[in-house]
Amino acid sequence: MNRNWLFVVMLAGLLFGGSLIAQNRPTPTRIGYVDAEKVVQAHKDFKKVQDVRTQAERELKPLRDQLQPLEAKLRAGNATAKEQQDYRVLAQSLQEAGRKWTERSNAVLKPITEEIDQVIARVAQQQGFAIVLDKKVAASSGLVVYAAEELEITNAVIRALPK
């Protein structure tokens, strides 16, 4: 009987002590949001991304301009065999060039987004947020239909970016 009583007392002590410890550490429950595109554009290295996009547009625009009249002829059904072949070659060239420029853009963008993710995590922790959603993704997906202004941390993240 004494052993059972001792066991019950120890178990109660553990449960009671554990609940006190758990209560000492507040768990963040707030959900915030950030305009990720605005933060990326505010980053000090965003000009590099813009430069790559400008170069890409310079290379891709002439290909698109050549494709347009050929595409119109194809849709109308009056393209010659040569024009059809030219269209396929140009379309493939455009696709390959687009893929190349997407890879280059992503390579420049990756370190920026990784740094921004770290800043968002730090700001979120400091302000007691458990989750931070991308404002545009949450809205366009229908995941969030309303969010109070005070839950947006975009400006705080921009202020926290390295200069």
Side-chain angles (χ1 to χ4, degrees), residues 58-68 89-91 93-95 97-98:
R58 250 187 262 131
E59 183 178 322
L60 297 175
K61 187 178 181 330
L63 292 172
R64 282 192 212 106
D65 291 346
Q66 290 174 13
L67 273 173
Q68 240 175 356
V89 169
L90 281 170
S93 295
L94 178 63
Q95 188 177 27

Side-chain angles (χ1 to χ4, degrees), residues 34-43 46 53 116 134 136:
V34 64
D35 185 340
E37 186 177 329
K38 186 175 177 181
V39 175
V40 169
Q41 291 173 355
H43 192 277
F46 182 67
R53 289 178 180 168
I116 288 171
D134 181 300
K136 290 180 181 169

